[in-house]
């Protein structure tokens, strides 16, 4: 509910305002479903986690103490329920241990794309990255959207969750750290590596698959 102060929203939810509840459900449920799916085995199971989360919110809203934002509180409930369900399905591990230690280290871009120290412009790009499409173009390009979706699926789990919360669902760095209980430094590294990987896939698409606008040498109409 844009423009509505959290205190007012909280008061309305505690008063049983169905319109306020429907508004936050509509705004947050897609992100909640997406996040839950990374901890459980099926889409149906993720949907049940979201449903259980909203039931827990309804039952516990009077006990919300405001130590975090309301949204962060709701998502923490979701993560805890999703982890519990995932463990019951023999599929989930604690968020802090789902990846090997070296996942957050190493270069984010292939070093060969930069000039060596003995070349004319050391450490500069050999060739500049392909320009990104305008946001409206990317949204309209279903093939590019499919490529990005596939690239997201290939990311290590923690990178996928962080970049999804930040770039797909619009949460701030502080909110992601609070929801996932990770440090700001860890959040930055995971986000940077995920964005670098996604950018690489987009560059591949722009370089090889998009139709060329170059009409040089073509006969005039």
């Amino acid at each position: 509910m844009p423009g509505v102060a959290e205190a007012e929203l909280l008061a309305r939810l505690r008063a049983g305002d169905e319109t306020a509840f429907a508004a936050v459900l509509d705004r947050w449920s897609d992100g909640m479903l997406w996040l839950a799916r990374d901890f459980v085995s099926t889409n149906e199971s993720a949907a049940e986690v979201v449903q259980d989360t909203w039931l827990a919110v309804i039952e516990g809203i009077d006990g919300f103490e405001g130590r975090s934002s309301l949204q962060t509180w709701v998502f923490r409930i979701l993560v805890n329920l999703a982890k519990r369900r995932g463990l019951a399905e023999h599929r989930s591990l604690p968020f802090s241990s789902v990846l090997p230690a070296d996942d957050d280290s190493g270069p984010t871009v292939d070093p060969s794309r930069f000039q060596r120290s003995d070349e004319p412009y050391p450490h500069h790009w050999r060739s500049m990255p392909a320009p990104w499409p305008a946001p409206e173009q990317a949204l309209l390009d279903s093939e590019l959207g499919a490529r990005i979706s596939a690239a997201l699926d290939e990311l290590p789990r923690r990178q996928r969750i962080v970049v999804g919360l930040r770039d797909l669902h619009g949460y701030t760095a502080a909110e992601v750290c609070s929801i996932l209980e990770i440090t700001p430094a860890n959040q930055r590294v995971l986000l940077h590596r995920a964005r670098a990987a996604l950018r690489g896939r987009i560059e591949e698409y722009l370089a090889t698959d998009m139709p060329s606008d170059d009409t040089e040498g073509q006969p005039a109409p």
Side-chain angles (χ1 to χ4, degrees):
M1 300 176 63
V4 178
E6 181 158 301
E8 179 184 345
L9 173 60
L10 182 59
R12 291 173 62 184
L13 291 173
R14 284 174 169 164
D17 186 324
E18 293 184 4
T19 301
F21 181 76
V24 293
L25 190 148
D26 287 344
R27 285 174 54 207
W28 299 346
S29 286
D30 284 350
M32 293 166 67
L33 184 65
W34 179 87
L35 180 56
R37 185 62 182 83
D38 254 297
F39 292 92
V40 298
S41 58
T42 66
N43 292 335
E44 292 75 14
S45 187
E48 290 178 6
V49 169
V50 173
Q51 182 178 358
D52 290 345
T53 300
W54 285 121
L55 291 174
V57 168
I58 292 170
E59 294 173 357
I61 192 71
D62 288 338
F64 173 61
E65 299 178 351
R67 296 178 182 175
S68 65
S69 72
L70 179 63
Q71 187 177 51
T72 295
W73 178 68
V74 171
F75 271 73
R76 274 188 171 173
I77 294 173
L78 173 91
V79 168
N80 288 333
L81 290 174
K83 282 182 178 180
R84 217 173 298 156
R85 191 181 187 99
L87 286 169
E89 296 173 348
H90 307 287
R91 179 177 185 276
S92 180
L93 292 172
F95 189 78
S96 61
S97 62
V98 294
L99 292 180
D102 63 356
D103 179 75
D104 301 345
S105 62
T108 59
V109 180
D110 185 349
S112 67
R113 298 188 64 181
F114 301 96
Q115 295 192 32
R116 299 187 308 273
S117 58
D118 59 346
E119 293 185 279
Y121 300 99
H123 313 302
H124 286 238
W125 291 96
R126 290 187 182 279
S127 60
M128 289 301 295
W132 285 63
E136 60 273 15
Q137 292 175 320
L139 289 173
L140 292 174
D141 189 331
S142 59
E143 183 177 353
L144 178 57
R147 296 292 183 94
I148 294 173
S149 180
L152 274 169
D153 289 341
E154 294 171 3
L155 288 175
R157 186 181 182 197
R158 295 205 301 173
Q159 292 182 25
R160 181 172 62 249
I161 291 175
V162 169
V163 77
L165 289 175
R166 288 295 310 277
D167 293 348
L168 297 182
H169 299 286
Y171 296 109
T172 66
E175 287 171 334
V176 170
C177 289
S178 184
I179 290 169
L180 302 178
E181 299 181 292
I182 57 177
T183 66
N186 196 200
Q187 188 272 158
R188 286 193 297 271
V189 169
L190 291 167
L191 180 64
H192 182 55
R193 291 183 63 77
R195 284 175 172 172
L198 293 175
R199 179 168 192 134
R201 292 297 296 273
I202 292 172
E203 287 182 353
E204 290 174 9
Y205 171 76
L206 294 175
T208 62
D209 293 343
M210 289 189 70
S212 173
D213 290 332
D214 186 2
T215 57
E216 184 177 353
Q218 297 296 321

